[in-house]
C-alpha cells in the first residue's frame, strides 16, 4: 500500500504537534525515518520524501503515527508505513 499524499495526511492528522521540541523530533526521525525506504536521501533530493514528515514539521501529528511508548525519546510513535530495507515489496501498513 502506498503512502498517502501530503494533502491526505494533512486532512487526517491531529491538530497538535507530534513532538514537544526539536530533540524529540530528531530522535524519533533518526530512529524511524532514516532507516525507512519511504524517505531515502535520493527521494528527498527528487522532492518525493515522506509526506508524513512534512505534516509533522508543519505542527500536526499524522494519523499514521500510532502512539507507542509515550515518554521514551525516539519511541513515542510507531509509523504504520515504516518499511526497512529488508521488508520486501510494498507490504500492507501495520
Amino acid at each position: 500500500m502506498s503512502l498517502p499524499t501530503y494533502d491526505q495526511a494533512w486532512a487526517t492528522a491531529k491538530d497538535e504537534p507530534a513532538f514537544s521540541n526539536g530533540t524529540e523530533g530528531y530522535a524519533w526521525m533518526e530512529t524511524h525515518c532514516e532507516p525507512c525506504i519511504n524517505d531515502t536521501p535520493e527521494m528527498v533530493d527528487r522532492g518525493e520524501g515522506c509526506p508524513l514528515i512534512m505534516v509533522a514539521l508543519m505542527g500536526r501529528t499524522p494519523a499514521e503515527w500510532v502512539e507507542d511508548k509515550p515518554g521514551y525519546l525516539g519511541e513515542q510513535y510507531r509509523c504504520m508505513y515504516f518499511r526497512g530495507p529488508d521488508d520486501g515489496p510494498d507490504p500492507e501498513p501495520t
Side-chain angles (χ1 to χ4, degrees):
M1 180 173 241
S2 60
L3 284 166
T5 66
Y6 172 81
D7 290 334
Q8 291 167 333
W10 180 265
T12 60
K14 295 179 198 166
D15 192 15
E16 59 187 47
F19 307 105
S20 64
N21 58 50
T23 300
E24 282 188 2
Y26 285 125
W28 193 86
M29 289 182 205
E30 181 178 338
T31 303
H32 298 276
C33 301
E34 286 186 24
C36 183
I37 64 171
N38 288 315
D39 198 60
T40 65
E42 296 80 19
M43 293 173 77
V44 172
D45 288 346
R46 292 190 311 259
E48 300 171 355
C50 179
L52 304 176
I53 296 170
M54 277 307 298
V55 168
L57 291 174
M58 298 303 292
R60 294 177 70 128
T61 303
E64 296 80 5
W65 290 3
V66 180
E67 194 169 292
D68 193 20
K69 296 178 184 172
Y72 288 87
L73 189 62
E75 298 295 327
Q76 299 93 317
Y77 306 102
R78 179 178 39 85
C79 181
M80 294 174 18
Y81 285 92
F82 175 83
R83 286 183 52 216
D86 299 327
D87 285 346
D90 207 13
E92 290 294 314
T94 58

